[in-house]
């Protein structure tokens, strides 16, 4: 008995010594791991937030490696057998077992977004797998590895290539659904010729209070929040949902003819709060707070960095996936290497950054129309946004300067052989020149044409031609336009056509509209005929979208159209066109009449309802 | 039998009192509840139910297997080590009654646990089934039309909560082509030359390595001698015919870009127009090409002259990945045939010939309900527990607790992984002659597999999750034995009878119990020192 007690005592002492030793070692090990950047989340934070992950790392002990091998094999087998139900579960488990190994997160996110999504056949499934990949990287991979450049790049690449480009037959599903998601948070950005209005609007969100206490420090805001709370609404995404439904903010709410009416007394009270002038200032403060909170907590975006990006590169519309590609690729360099935007360029960000910036030039202006049958997938149309030409040109030049600078720091000639970006730069500017010229912005077209000749030193007979002949010759040389070029040329032609029509010049109108039609037909015949996924909307639909924008939000397409000119244009349209656009334009134009101190009679006379 | 029942009852009560059963029951309940509440699957309702079924049944199976092993060995070795066996042996109880009673006592308890846990899984699955799909959640009045087809709900009802039989295409009729090719070969080459060539090929197969030194010349006298051996001539002709049939079959299985192949499926049950849809499940394999996507069109035709109903599907699929689509039941003819035309669409970016093998395109049709399938799956799992309990009794009667546990765990792992181990120890075909180690491991596994049943870790679960029918015949085969036609690679004995007998797990169970009884009968319980 005594012997057994003695053994127990000795073993207890051994256990105590072992535990004490382990406890003493854990401190130095932890600091060593931190120094080597192996730990990015503290143990206590991990245990609090992700106890399952901690348990999974410890519980299997020495069996973790064989377990991982089995899970990898099983997950690949399941994928090949089309049994996707378990794929996400297993991938999550694999990542949980190796949370600080960025390659594992990157591989699984890529596999879900690119391979598994391609094995499915419905838009819902495709979207689900692409967003599963995004969420895995953004919400979990970057939580454990916040300073990993590769994960940021992979995330940026999914936005740019998978969602932003045209290789996937369901690329429009991704573009539309993403635009819808962000539209519900931020709404449509305001438009101005420069980035100013969009930046100013977004800075309200970036500068919004960080926490609820700061928000309710103001008495009137506290009162408004209190009223919201009484109706069961917190100042977060729940507030945004009701704001989008009931407010009179045209940048977010659906048009009146499809807007849902308040259901019940509670919703009526909410609707009153969302419209009341009394709470306008408090509502704006809560709106900015809720938007910021949703961006940070749901989308893991840093509004301060978003604002920095907008200030440097242009008025990004965050509903456009290319904006997010730029955000994540620059954010990665900032987190991993501490670089600010001044030191980030097209060379250290890979293809994503410059590609996305160029895509923004071609697709930057988004028009979203509510889709009553599928609110998650609004109708989407877009046009070129020339406000990004200057920043893209500048980024090209910055990168080119680095390429032609030798080891001693001497800057060489821009047309030297080392400048591998020059060809792409010239092509990009040439396309921009054509679009601007067709769109009636000859001043801008001439400026960039001169840049091609004088700064980039482009060589060839075509660059000796006048601007008009250059555009004609380039169009002839290029052959069938790409989908983005088609849209850009068409929107430019519509712009010129309807400006001419508003000014009473029917001949010019017909000439430009015929050009738009020719571009469309050529594209449909040569490209879209073979590739259905690249087909744009019907010509009439695109024209209708353009007209609606020109009459309700002309600044979005770089025009300033007074109310009288709008009325003149509206009344020159055919009854069929009037019938098509009237339901959308009536509300905003009536509001504009009121804003300009006109009564409803004026509206009815200026914009008479079309015949039935 | 009263004696057996007495031991059974005593064993049952003894097991119920042990802490191990309490611990395992708690773990089992926690696992099933955790899986039910936490697991989301791929985001679809179908995926959630499938994941729940896969994880809950697998975990139940694993835990019950472990509890059966530990409990049985604990009871049997405990009797001997704690000398309780003396009080039992002094009773009018034969040794076989003791062995059978102990085994059935544990089985009564684990069977009860199985019924309870499967009952809970079934109820939970039905509960999840009532949850809303994404389309149903979005179906607010005026937003999504209520008559919109919800693919997720359709899949839940017809792919998960169903028992579906799998049909492979009817064999291609190649006999006329074979006869024509064979006759032409004999005419052009001559019968003797043909057989001579085959003998040469057998005596000296072409080297696998093209850089290998040329083999020594053949002994032509030996070839001539063999040529006149009638039995060998017959065998060579069979080999030539087999190779030729394979060649014709393989060429028929290749579908070039822009070309089509038609497959017919027989034995289906004609369905009314509003009957459950069929499913075509396929995996496209590009032949000598690295294309990652294949575009195809599928025309499913009812060939009845008075029907003419057909369905067309256009698909774009990743290669080597299984895909599926639903087919209208009106495509089945009145005599239960289905005609499927596969067209390999021309795609300038991905021009690839596709190889279609019979198992690559299958049709699934509902033949029963989920509940029946669920019960049959439970019966198969019970059979596994029966075998493991028998193995535990077998080792428990002559080994100590830890050694018996280790032996049983090895048997458990080997049985569960039998398919994988068999595959891993196959004799190599393309990398030169096998080494001694490879021969040893191969035949060792063959020997082990002859004794142990193939418990195939996930097979039953996969059937449940896929909504694949587990026929009563398969359950019966598993309990007793199965008769299968002998294959070319079967051993001499089976080839002689033309049929291969596969002993079911049930019979193996009683074999193990019999061996256990024999050992126990001879065992001296109280050694005289």
């Amino acid at each position: 008995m005594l012997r057994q007690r003695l053994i127990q005592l000795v073993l207890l002492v051994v256990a105590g010594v072992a535990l004490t030793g382990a406890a003493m070692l854990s401190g130095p090990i932890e600091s060593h791991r931190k120094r080597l950047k192996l730990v990015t989340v503290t143990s206590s934070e991990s245990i609090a937030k992700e106890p399952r992950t901690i348990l999974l790392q410890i519980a299997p002990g020495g069996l973790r490696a064989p377990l991982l091998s089995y899970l990898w094999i099983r997950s690949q087998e399941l994928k090949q057998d089309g049994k996707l139900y378990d794929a996400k579960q297993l991938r999550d488990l694999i990542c949980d077992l190796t949370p600080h190994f960025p390659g594992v997160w990157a591989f699984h996110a890529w596999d879900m977004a690119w391979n598994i999504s391609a094995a499915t056949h419905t838009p819902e499934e495709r979207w689900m797998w692409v967003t599963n990949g995004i969420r895995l990287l953004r919400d979990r991979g970057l939580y454990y590895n916040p300073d990993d450049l590769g994960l940021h790049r992979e995330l940026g690449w999914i936005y740019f290539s998978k969602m932003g480009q045209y290789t996937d037959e369901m690329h429009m599903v991704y573009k539309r659904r993403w635009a819808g998601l962000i539209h519900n948070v931020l709404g449509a950005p305001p438009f101005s010729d420069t980035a100013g209005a969009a930046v100013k609007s977004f800075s309200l969100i970036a500068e919004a209070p960080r926490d609820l206490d700061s928000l309710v420090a103001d008495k009137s805001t506290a009162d408004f929040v209190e009223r919201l709370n009484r109706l069961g609404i917190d100042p977060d995404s729940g507030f945004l949902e009701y704001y989008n439904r009931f407010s009179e903010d045209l940048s977010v709410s659906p048009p009146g003819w499809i807007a849902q009416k308040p259901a019940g007394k509670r919703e009526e009270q909410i609707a009153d709060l969302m419209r009341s002038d009394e709470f306008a200032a408090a509502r704006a403060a809560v709106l900015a707070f809720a938007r910021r909170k949703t961006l940070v907590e749901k989308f893991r975006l840093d509004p301060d960095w978003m604002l920095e990006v907008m200030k440097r590169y242009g008025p990004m519309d965050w509903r456009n996936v290319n904006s997010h590609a730029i955000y994540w690729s620059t954010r990665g360099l900032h987190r991993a290497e501490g670089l600010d935007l001044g030191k980030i360029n097209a060379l250290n960000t890979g293809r994503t950054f410059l590609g996305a910036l160029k895509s923004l030039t071609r697709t930057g202006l988004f028009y979203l129309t509510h889709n009553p049958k599928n609110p998650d997938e609004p109708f989407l149309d877009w046009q070129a946004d020339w406000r990004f030409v200057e920043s893209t040109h500048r980024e090209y030049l910055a990168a080119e300067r680095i390429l032609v600078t030798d080891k001693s720091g001497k800057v060489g000639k821009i047309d030297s052989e080392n400048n591998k970006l020059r060809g792409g730069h010239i092509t990009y500017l040439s396309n921009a020149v054509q679009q601007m010229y067709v769109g009636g912005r000859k001043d801008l077209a001439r400026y960039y044409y001169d840049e091609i000749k004088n700064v980039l030193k482009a060589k060839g007979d075509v660059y000796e031609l006048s601007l008009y002949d250059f555009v004609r010759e380039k169009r002839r040389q290029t052959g069938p336009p790409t989908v983005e070029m088609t849209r850009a040329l068409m929107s430019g032609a519509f712009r010129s056509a309807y400006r001419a029509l508003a000014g009473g010049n029917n001949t010019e109108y017909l000439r430009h509209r015929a050009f738009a039609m020719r571009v469309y037909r050529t594209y449909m015949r040569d490209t879209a005929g073979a590739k259905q996924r690249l087909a744009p909307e019907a010509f009439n639909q695109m024209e209708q979208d353009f007209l609606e924008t020109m009459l309700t939000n002309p600044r979005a397409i770089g025009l300033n159209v007074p109310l009288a000119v709008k009325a003149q244009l509206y009344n020159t349209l055919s009854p069929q066109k009037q019938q098509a656009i009237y339901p959308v334009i009536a509300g905003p134009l009536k509001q504009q009449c009121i804003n300009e101190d006109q009564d409803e009679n004026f509206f009815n006379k200026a914009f008479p309802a079309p015949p039935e | 039998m009263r004696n057996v029942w007495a031991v059974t009852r005593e064993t049952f009560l003894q097991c119920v009192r042990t802490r191990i059963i309490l611990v395992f029951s708690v773990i089992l309940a926690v696992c099933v509840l955790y899986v039910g509440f936490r697991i989301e699957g791929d985001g679809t309702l179908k995926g959630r139910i499938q994941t729940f079924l896969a994880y809950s049944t697998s975990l139940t199976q694993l835990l019950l297997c472990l509890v059966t092993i530990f409990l049985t060995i604990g009871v049997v070795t405990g009797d001997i080590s704690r000398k309780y066996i003396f009080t039992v042996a002094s009773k009018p109880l034969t040794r076989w009654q003791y062995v059978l009673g102990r085994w059935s006592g544990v089985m009564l308890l684990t069977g009860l646990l199985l019924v309870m846990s499967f009952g809970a899984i079934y109820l939970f699955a039905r509960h999840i089934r009532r949850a809303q799909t994404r389309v149903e959640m979005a179906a607010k009045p005026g937003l999504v039309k209520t008559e919109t087809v919800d693919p997720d709900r359709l899949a839940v009802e017809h792919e998960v909560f169903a028992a579906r039989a799998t049909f492979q295409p009817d064999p291609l009729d190649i006999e006329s082509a074979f006869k024509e090719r064979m006759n032409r070969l004999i005419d052009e080459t001559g019968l003797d030359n043909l057989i001579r060539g085959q003998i040469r090929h057998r005596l000296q197969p072409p080297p696998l390595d093209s850089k290998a030194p040329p083999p020594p010349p053949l002994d032509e006298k030996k070839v001539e001698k063999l040529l006149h051996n009638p039995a060998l001539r017959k065998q060579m002709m069979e080999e030539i015919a087999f190779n030729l049939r394979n060649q014709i079959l393989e060429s028929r299985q290749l579908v070039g870009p822009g070309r089509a192949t038609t497959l017919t499926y027989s034995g289906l049950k004609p369905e009314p127009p509003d009957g459950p849809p069929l499913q075509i499940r396929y995996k496209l394999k590009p032949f000598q090409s690295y294309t990652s996507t294949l575009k195809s069109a599928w025309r499913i035709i009812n060939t009845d002259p008075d029907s003419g109903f057909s369905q067309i599907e256009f698909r774009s699929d990743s290669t080597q990945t299984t895909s599926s689509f639903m087919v209208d039941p009106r495509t089945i003819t009145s005599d239960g045939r289905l005609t499927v035309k596969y067209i390999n669409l021309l795609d300038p970016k991905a021009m690839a010939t596709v190889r279609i093998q019979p198992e690559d395109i299958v049709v699934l049709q509902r033949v029963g309900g989920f509940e029946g399938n669920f019960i049959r799956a439970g019966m198969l799992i019970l059979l596994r527990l029966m075998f493991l309990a028998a193995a535990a009794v077998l080792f428990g009667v002559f080994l100590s607790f830890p050694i018996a546990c280790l032996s049983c765990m090895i048997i458990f792992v080997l049985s569960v992984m039998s398919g994988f181990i068999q595959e891993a120890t196959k004799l190599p075909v393309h990398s030169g002659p096998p080494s001694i180690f490879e021969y040893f491991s191969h035949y060792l596994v063959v020997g082990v597999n002859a004794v142990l049943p193939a418990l195939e870790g996930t097979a039953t679960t996969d059937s449940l999750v896929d909504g694949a029918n587990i026929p009563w015949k398969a359950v019966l085969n598993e309990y007793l034995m199965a008769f299968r036609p002998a294959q070319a690679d079967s051993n001499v004995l089976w080839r002689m009878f033309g049929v291969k007998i596969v002993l079911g797990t049930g019979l193996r169970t009683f074999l193990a119990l019999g061996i256990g009884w024999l050992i126990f009968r001879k065992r001296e319980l109280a050694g005289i020192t």
Side-chain angles (χ1 to χ4, degrees):
Chain A
M1 194 67 182
L2 187 67
R3 191 168 167 268
Q4 281 177 354
R5 285 272 174 253
L6 201 65
I7 291 171
Q8 284 172 349
L9 207 65
V10 169
L11 288 177
L12 263 176
V13 170
V14 170
V17 169
L19 277 172
T20 314
M24 285 167 70
L25 278 174
S26 72
I29 290 173
E30 190 80 0
S31 60
H32 201 61
R33 290 175 73 197
K34 270 183 193 163
R35 201 169 54 248
L36 293 171
K37 290 195 171 180
L38 290 173
V39 179
T40 44
V41 181
T42 61
S43 304
S44 51
E45 192 187 341
S46 267
I47 291 166
K49 284 191 177 172
E50 303 274 347
R52 179 172 170 267
T53 309
I54 294 292
L55 184 71
L56 277 170
Q57 285 178 75
I58 297 164
L63 290 175
R64 194 158 69 135
L67 180 63
L68 268 170
S69 302
Y70 169 76
L71 291 174
W72 275 94
I73 294 167
R74 173 99 177 130
S75 75
Q76 290 302 315
E77 274 177 0
L78 284 169
K79 192 183 86 180
Q80 285 185 0
D81 290 345
K83 294 173 183 169
L84 304 179
Y85 58 86
D86 207 4
K88 183 175 175 289
Q89 219 74 43
L90 287 181
R91 279 160 166 71
D92 282 348
L93 196 57
I94 292 169
C95 291
D96 284 343
L97 283 163
T98 50
H100 298 296
F101 187 0
V104 174
W105 296 98
F107 173 81
H108 286 307
W110 165 80
D111 199 30
M112 287 201 269
W114 294 84
N115 298 337
I116 298 184
S117 76
T120 60
H121 295 90
T122 63
E124 286 76 21
E125 288 175 305
R126 284 275 174 106
W127 170 247
M128 188 177 74
W129 283 108
V130 172
T131 47
N132 276 345
I134 288 177
R135 280 204 293 265
L136 189 74
L137 275 181
R138 187 191 66 193
D139 300 350
R140 311 211 48 230
L142 284 174
Y143 172 73
Y144 284 104
N145 308 278
D147 299 333
D148 188 78
L149 182 58
L151 292 187
H152 283 89
R153 278 201 176 150
E154 193 64 46
L155 191 50
W157 184 247
I158 294 176
Y159 281 113
F160 169 64
S161 186
K162 181 72 183 175
M163 297 166 82
Q165 297 300 299
Y166 306 87
T167 45
D168 192 311
E169 64 204 13
M170 293 195 195
H171 67 96
M172 277 309 288
V173 173
Y174 313 143
K175 290 184 174 82
R176 288 167 65 176
R177 289 198 174 216
W178 183 259
L181 264 183
I182 302 290
H183 184 84
N184 288 339
V185 181
L186 296 176
F191 189 87
S192 69
D193 285 343
T194 59
V199 171
K200 193 178 165 195
S201 163
F202 193 83
S203 63
L204 294 175
I205 297 165
E207 289 156 10
R210 275 15 181 204
D211 53 61
L212 194 60
D213 289 344
S214 312
L215 177 73
V216 296
D218 177 69
K219 198 170 171 298
S220 63
T221 312
D223 181 32
F224 184 67
V225 170
E226 174 61 28
R227 283 167 189 262
L228 287 174
N229 286 341
R230 279 208 293 270
L231 291 165
I233 301 170
D234 287 326
D236 52 20
S237 53
F239 169 81
L240 293 179
E241 190 188 319
Y242 287 109
Y243 181 81
N244 294 349
R245 276 178 66 191
F246 300 132
S247 80
E248 287 167 346
D249 181 351
L250 290 174
S251 71
V252 288
S253 54
W257 57 282
I258 49 170
Q260 276 185 280
K261 302 283 177 283
K265 201 172 176 186
R266 178 177 166 266
E267 288 207 347
E268 276 171 15
Q269 287 176 319
I270 297 170
D272 285 344
L273 276 181
M274 297 299 168
R275 289 171 189 159
S276 159
D277 289 339
E278 185 192 345
F279 297 111
R283 194 168 52 234
V286 172
L287 177 66
F289 176 80
R291 283 177 168 172
R292 184 188 165 86
K293 191 172 160 65
T294 311
L295 286 178
V296 172
E297 291 176 4
K298 186 177 175 190
F299 295 95
R300 312 265 168 181
L301 292 164
D302 176 3
D304 297 330
W305 189 256
M306 291 167 86
L307 188 64
E308 290 294 309
V309 167
M310 289 175 83
K311 281 178 182 167
R312 181 161 180 91
Y313 303 116
M316 299 205 178
D317 185 339
W318 295 100
R319 298 172 302 171
N320 190 320
V321 287
N322 288 296
S323 305
H324 293 268
I326 292 172
Y327 173 91
W328 288 109
S329 54
T330 54
R331 179 86 181 148
L333 272 168
H334 178 65
R335 288 297 307 241
E337 295 172 18
L339 300 182
D340 60 22
L341 285 176
K343 289 185 179 161
I344 291 174
N345 56 57
L347 299 179
N348 55 18
T349 45
R351 280 189 291 166
T352 309
F353 171 69
L354 208 51
L357 213 46
K358 282 155 72 178
S359 281
L360 276 176
T361 316
R362 296 184 289 251
T363 68
L365 289 178
F366 263 31
Y367 309 114
L368 245 62
T369 311
H370 190 73
N371 180 358
K373 283 190 180 171
N374 188 359
D376 292 337
E377 206 173 302
F379 300 115
L380 173 67
D381 194 8
W382 66 77
Q383 288 183 24
D385 191 342
W386 300 326
R387 294 173 299 174
F388 287 98
V389 176
E390 185 51 35
S391 55
T392 312
H393 178 45
R394 190 185 62 222
E395 290 305 318
Y396 254 126
L397 284 176
E400 284 166 335
R401 262 186 223 112
I402 298 169
L403 283 176
V404 298
T405 303
D406 63 19
K407 284 177 186 170
S408 65
K410 190 184 163 197
V411 181
K413 288 183 177 175
I414 201 89
D415 55 345
S416 80
E417 275 186 8
N418 290 341
N419 186 357
K420 306 287 182 206
L421 293 173
R422 184 166 154 264
H425 192 174
I426 293 172
T427 308
Y428 167 74
L429 281 187
S430 299
N431 287 339
V433 166
Q434 293 170 61
Q435 294 165 27
M436 289 167 174
Y437 187 87
V438 173
R441 292 300 301 266
K442 290 181 186 163
D443 51 338
L444 272 177
R446 189 170 305 285
Y447 169 75
Y448 287 110
Y449 185 42
D450 289 343
E451 290 285 289
I452 296 172
K453 291 196 288 187
N454 303 331
V455 178
L456 295 174
K457 315 270 185 212
K459 293 182 179 67
D461 292 343
V462 72
Y463 300 103
E464 305 295 327
L465 301 172
S466 69
L467 180 60
Y468 174 76
D469 290 332
F470 169 77
V471 172
R472 281 182 68 92
E473 181 59 18
K474 271 285 171 191
R475 283 271 28 88
R476 195 188 61 75
Q477 282 179 5
T478 326
T482 62
V483 60
E484 288 176 342
M485 190 66 173
T486 302
R487 281 176 177 277
L489 289 175
M490 284 179 69
S491 58
F494 283 142
R495 197 168 169 276
S496 299
Y498 283 100
R499 276 175 78 193
L501 190 64
N505 190 340
N506 206 38
T507 317
E508 274 293 288
Y509 160 72
L510 290 173
R511 192 169 73 82
H512 285 293
R513 191 173 180 278
F515 175 77
M517 178 66 94
R518 213 162 50 241
V519 171
Y520 185 82
R521 280 190 183 149
T522 308
Y523 177 74
M524 292 302 285
R525 187 192 62 213
D526 296 340
T527 311
K531 293 172 187 168
Q532 193 54 37
R533 69 173 196 279
L534 299 178
E537 298 81 39
F539 180 83
N540 287 346
Q541 183 61 49
M542 293 176 83
E543 188 177 24
Q544 185 184 319
D545 286 345
F546 180 87
L547 266 174
E548 286 167 5
T549 311
M550 187 168 173
L551 290 170
T552 57
N553 189 14
R555 306 296 299 161
I557 43 175
L559 290 173
N560 188 15
V561 189
L563 197 57
V565 178
K566 285 181 185 175
Q568 198 174 328
L569 175 62
Y570 174 78
N571 287 295
T572 55
L573 297 174
S574 66
Q576 288 80 9
K577 276 186 186 153
Q578 287 181 345
Q579 281 166 354
I581 64 172
Y582 191 79
V584 177
I585 64 166
L589 287 176
K590 200 179 279 181
Q591 187 62 43
Q592 194 185 351
C593 290
I594 294 165
N595 293 347
E596 295 188 11
D597 296 331
Q598 304 289 346
D599 58 13
E600 199 163 326
N601 276 341
F602 175 84
F603 169 77
N604 291 334
K605 277 183 194 168
F607 302 98
E612 288 289 320
Chain B
M1 286 312 279
R2 272 177 56 195
N3 287 347
V4 175
W5 172 242
V7 180
T8 302
R9 200 182 55 192
E10 176 53 31
T11 309
F12 179 79
L13 292 172
Q14 190 184 340
C15 290
V16 168
R17 286 195 295 267
T18 56
R19 268 182 239 157
I20 189 170
I21 204 75
L22 184 71
V23 170
F24 270 97
S25 303
V26 170
I27 295 175
L28 193 60
V30 168
C31 285
V32 171
L33 288 175
Y34 178 83
V35 167
F37 284 114
R38 282 302 300 270
I39 277 187
E40 292 169 0
D42 59 4
T44 60
L45 183 62
K46 175 196 162 198
R48 192 178 160 203
I49 297 172
Q50 284 182 314
T51 315
F52 167 71
L53 285 174
Y55 278 71
S56 57
T57 49
S58 300
L59 278 170
T60 304
Q61 222 181 134
L62 177 72
L63 287 172
L64 286 179
C65 285
L66 293 178
V67 87
T68 304
I69 291 172
F70 292 131
L71 215 53
T72 316
I73 294 175
V75 166
V76 176
T77 57
D79 280 351
I80 296 165
S81 64
R82 290 183 199 132
K83 314 278 193 273
Y84 298 158
I85 194 75
F86 297 153
T87 53
V88 176
S90 63
K91 297 255 178 345
L93 184 77
T94 58
R95 300 239 169 144
W96 72 264
Q97 285 171 331
Y98 171 81
V99 166
L100 195 61
R102 281 308 198 193
W103 174 81
S104 51
V106 174
M107 281 318 301
L108 191 64
L109 181 66
T110 49
L112 199 66
L113 282 176
L114 180 69
V115 170
M116 282 162 63
S117 44
F118 256 52
I121 292 170
Y122 175 72
L123 291 176
F124 223 114
R126 289 203 48 150
H127 169 71
I128 303 174
R129 183 188 192 177
R130 283 203 293 270
Q132 285 189 316
T133 63
R134 284 175 184 231
V135 171
E136 285 163 353
M137 278 191 271
K140 293 166 190 162
L143 288 180
V144 179
K145 285 184 182 173
T146 44
E147 67 266 27
T148 304
V149 176
D150 178 359
D152 197 10
R153 178 59 64 191
L154 214 59
V156 167
E157 299 305 326
H158 297 297
E159 291 179 33
V160 184
F161 284 94
R164 300 176 301 164
T166 306
F167 295 85
Q168 292 207 349
D170 298 342
L172 294 169
D173 182 15
I174 56 165
E175 279 314 300
S176 57
F178 165 72
K179 278 180 190 157
E180 191 261 322
R181 287 268 298 271
M182 193 62 168
N183 290 337
R184 204 170 63 208
L185 208 60
I186 292 170
D187 288 348
E188 286 171 2
T189 322
L191 187 60
D192 281 356
N193 280 339
L194 203 61
I195 297 172
R196 200 175 277 123
Q198 190 64 22
I199 294 171
R200 283 201 187 105
H201 188 270
R202 179 186 265 201
L203 291 176
Q204 200 172 68
L208 293 164
D209 184 3
S210 58
K211 289 174 188 168
L218 268 177
D219 180 0
E220 287 300 328
K221 280 184 187 165
K222 190 180 172 188
V223 173
E224 287 306 315
K225 195 179 164 193
L226 289 172
L227 181 66
H228 294 101
N229 178 341
L232 192 80
R233 278 179 80 92
K234 194 182 165 206
Q235 205 180 342
M236 291 298 105
M237 280 309 288
E238 279 173 4
E239 273 184 19
I240 292 166
F242 179 78
N243 291 341
L244 193 57
R245 278 201 177 88
N246 271 353
Q247 272 178 27
I248 296 169
L249 208 57
E250 281 181 15
S251 67
R252 292 269 181 99
Q253 287 172 346
L254 297 178
V255 186
R259 295 188 170 274
T261 189
T262 303
L263 304 165
T264 313
Y265 298 80
S266 305
L268 285 94
K269 189 176 71 176
E271 298 275 6
D274 58 346
L278 309 172
Q279 190 185 33
I280 289 188
R281 185 180 286 177
Y282 60 95
K283 186 190 259 187
L284 300 178
K285 297 174 185 162
F287 182 69
Q288 295 178 346
S289 163
Y290 295 102
T291 308
S292 60
T293 308
L294 286 169
K295 290 194 172 172
S296 57
W298 300 76
R299 188 155 180 241
I300 301 96
I301 316 151
N302 184 331
T303 48
D304 274 348
D306 54 342
S307 166
F309 184 86
S310 73
Q311 179 180 334
I312 293 181
E313 287 282 329
F314 289 94
R315 311 283 288 181
S316 173
D317 298 289
S318 301
T319 54
Q320 306 282 6
T321 302
T322 306
S323 292
S324 61
F325 60 87
M326 294 281 193
V327 176
D328 195 297
R330 283 173 291 177
T331 47
I332 308 175
T333 60
S334 53
D335 60 349
R337 274 183 302 109
L338 187 82
T339 306
V340 176
K341 188 172 186 179
Y342 161 77
I343 304 154
N344 181 6
L345 287 182
L346 272 173
D347 183 0
K349 275 192 173 175
M351 296 280 267
T353 295
V354 175
R355 181 176 211 165
I356 300 287
Q357 286 171 302
E359 66 275 16
D360 289 340
I361 303 181
V362 295
V363 173
L364 291 106
Q365 185 183 31
R366 189 187 183 117
V367 290
F370 176 73
E371 287 75 10
N373 223 26
F374 199 65
I375 290 169
R376 289 190 288 275
M379 287 175 75
L380 286 178
I381 292 171
L382 182 69
L383 193 56
R384 290 173 182 192
L385 301 181
M386 283 164 62
F387 175 78
L388 288 173
V393 169
L394 165 60
F395 290 115
V397 293
F398 71 101
L399 294 174
S400 65
F401 179 79
I403 307 295
C405 284
L406 185 70
S407 309
C408 259
M409 289 307 288
I410 290 171
I411 282 190
F412 175 54
V413 171
L414 285 177
S415 307
V416 167
M417 296 177 70
S418 62
F420 171 74
I421 295 172
Q422 239 174 333
E423 193 67 29
T425 53
K426 255 186 182 175
L427 287 177
V429 181
H430 298 297
S431 56
S435 65
I436 292 175
F437 176 74
E438 282 163 337
Y439 273 119
F440 174 74
S441 57
H442 173 72
Y443 286 108
L444 180 70
V445 170
V446 168
V448 167
N449 280 342
V451 179
L452 297 183
L455 299 185
E456 291 297 335
T458 57
T460 315
T461 304
D462 285 350
S463 297
L464 263 188
V465 168
D466 268 355
N469 185 40
I470 304 169
W472 278 112
K473 193 183 162 197
V475 177
L476 208 62
N477 287 344
E478 204 51 46
Y479 269 82
L480 300 171
M481 63 179 80
F483 297 94
R484 290 180 190 145
Q487 301 289 322
D489 56 351
S490 300
N491 66 36
V492 187
L493 189 69
W494 303 134
R495 279 213 305 265
M496 204 165 73
F497 290 117
V499 69
K500 185 179 175 183
I501 300 170
V502 183
L503 216 56
T505 309
L507 284 185
R508 286 174 204 252
T509 301
F510 287 103
L511 202 64
L513 278 178
I515 297 169
W517 165 65
L518 282 176
I519 293 170
F520 191 49
R521 201 166 68 114
K522 294 283 176 196
R523 180 158 183 198
E524 190 181 8
L525 293 172
I528 298 164
T529 52

